[in-house]
Every structure is written in structure tokens, then in C-alpha cells.
């Protein structure tokens, strides 16, 4: 386990980000992000936009997801790694707090990792399924 925690390979850095997110450990998640990170949530997604800085990402994305959803989790299923590029095929599961409706949707995430930190993230998701869970 220690080797994994000290591994700065792109896949290991991305994996630590998912583990920190699932545990709700925002400090550990911020530690995986570069100071000048660009984190893009897809157009049509409730949090659509590009966020910068580790604190900007966690306050505008992870904290909002935690506020609006119960048990929001990104399940990282498969990794495709090409140098500094890591594409993760995953799925989101959660229950919307306002409607009580669950969401279980497939997603793809593209990360760019340099120097042991995530410098760029882009999300691809069926935003209609997410929004349907938010609609009474």
C-alpha cells in the first residue's frame, strides 16, 4: 500500500483522487491537484464549467455534490493510460436529496497528469440522466 501512496505515475495519482473523493477527504483530493489545475464539468451537467485551483475544484464541485446528493460516488472501473493522459471509464451513483431519486450513469473522465499532479480534467456524461434524477 505504501508504494501505491508514493507512486506518482499518472494512473496512481488519478486512483488516489478517486479514493479521496469516495472517502470525502477533500484535503487528500486537493493534494492530487496541481495549483493551476483546470477541471471541466461537461456542459449540461448541473455544475457545468471550468474550475481552477484545488480549493476552487473542491468548493465548486465536490462540496456542492455533497450538499445536493446522498452518497455521490464516482466508481472508477477501467483505466486507459497513454503517457500523461489517463481516461477512466466509470459511473456515478447517488440519490438526489431534493427528489429522493437515484442516479446510476456511465461516465468517462480524461485526466492529464504532470509532475505527480492532475493538471487537467474533463468530464463526459449523459447529463439528461443526471438532470432527470433532479427533477420532481
Amino acid at each position: 500500500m505504501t508504494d501505491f501512496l508514493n507512486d506518482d505515475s499518472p494512473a496512481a495519482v488519478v486512483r488516489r483522487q478517486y479514493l479521496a473523493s469516495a472517502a470525502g477527504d477533500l484535503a487528500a483530493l486537493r493534494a492530487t491537484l496541481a495549483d493551476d489545475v483546470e477541471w471541466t464539468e461537461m456542459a449540461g451537467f448541473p455544475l457545468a464549467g471550468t474550475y481552477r485551483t484545488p480549493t476552487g475544484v473542491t468548493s465548486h464541485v465536490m462540496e456542492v455534490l455533497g450538499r445536493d446528493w446522498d452518497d455521490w460516488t464516482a466508481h472508477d472501473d477501467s483505466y486507459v493510460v497513454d503517457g500523461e493522459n489517463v481516461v477512466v471509464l466509470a459511473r456515478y451513483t447517488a440519490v438526489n436529496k431534493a427528489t429522493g431519486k437515484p442516479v446510476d450513469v456511465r461516465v468517462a473522465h480524461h485526466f492529464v497528469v504532470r509532475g505527480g499532479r492532475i493538471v487537467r480534467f474533463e468530464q463526459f456524461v449523459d447529463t439528461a440522466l443526471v438532470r432527470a434524477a433532479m427533477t420532481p
Side-chain angles (χ1 to χ4, degrees):
M1 184 68 143
T2 302
D3 290 337
F4 172 72
L5 295 176
N6 295 320
D7 184 351
D8 281 340
S9 70
V13 171
V14 169
R15 178 72 177 135
R16 283 197 302 275
Q17 180 274 151
Y18 281 105
L19 292 172
S21 179
D25 187 343
L26 298 185
L29 193 150
R30 283 190 293 271
T32 67
L33 304 176
D35 290 341
D36 60 348
V37 65
E38 289 187 2
W39 187 280
T40 302
E41 299 285 320
M42 187 170 176
F45 191 70
L47 306 175
T50 298
Y51 305 96
R52 291 175 175 77
T53 79
T55 300
V57 170
T58 56
S59 66
H60 291 99
V61 179
M62 286 70 184
E63 290 178 19
V64 175
L65 290 171
R67 181 193 71 206
D68 296 345
W69 298 84
D70 283 323
D71 301 318
W72 182 275
T73 305
H75 306 270
D76 53 330
D77 297 329
S78 301
Y79 285 63
V80 179
V81 181
D82 181 17
E84 64 186 14
N85 292 284
V86 180
V87 174
V88 179
L89 303 178
R91 64 188 171 86
Y92 293 147
T93 59
V95 175
N96 185 267
K97 289 181 180 181
T99 66
K101 292 181 181 179
V103 68
D104 187 341
V105 61
R106 295 291 294 161
V107 300
H109 293 154
H110 174 225
F111 296 87
V112 177
V113 180
R114 288 189 196 118
R117 296 287 181 267
I118 297 166
V119 297
R120 194 164 49 242
F121 165 86
E122 187 174 6
Q123 169 202 58
F124 302 90
V125 60
D126 184 341
T127 59
L129 292 177
V130 176
R131 290 205 174 269
M134 298 172 68
T135 304

